[in-house]
Amino acid sequence: MTAVADNGVGMRADEADEVLLVRARRRLRELVALLEIAPFAAATTDAMRAYLDEDADDAGEAFARFCGLSPTVRAQRAASASEALS
């Protein structure tokens, strides 16, 4: 199965999962920073709700598929995705 990335380049579904997971992790880091700086600000609440509405379900499903891979394959794909998206 092939998915299409935001830039229109075709990629395997597992590659799309890895891209989604890296992006979700980056967004979650931003949320953690907001929680540390302004935990009770309306902007923090809005950012958390937006993540839950927009990305959390897809990221959770992608993570479940990723966890179903062997540890060796997970390590290889995580390293490749991190390098490609850094």
Side-chain angles (χ1 to χ4, degrees):
M1 179 158 106
T2 301
V4 177
D6 293 335
N7 62 6
V9 176
M11 64 175 62
R12 294 187 331 261
D14 56 354
E15 290 173 331
D17 278 351
E18 291 152 16
V19 169
L20 191 150
L21 290 171
V22 170
R23 288 180 181 162
R25 186 174 181 182
R26 286 179 182 167
R27 191 161 179 196
L28 287 169
R29 284 182 181 160
E30 293 170 5
L31 288 174
V32 168
L34 284 173
L35 286 167
E36 289 176 354
I37 295 166
F40 305 108
T44 301
T45 302
D46 292 344
M48 291 186 334
R49 284 190 178 129
Y51 173 77
L52 291 171
D53 291 343
E54 297 165 8
D55 295 331
D57 290 337
D58 290 340
E61 292 168 6
F63 186 69
R65 288 187 294 271
F66 185 76
C67 288
L69 302 172
S70 73
T72 303
V73 172
R74 282 195 313 262
Q76 291 169 342
R77 291 190 181 167
S80 295
S82 293
E83 288 175 17
L85 296 173
S86 342

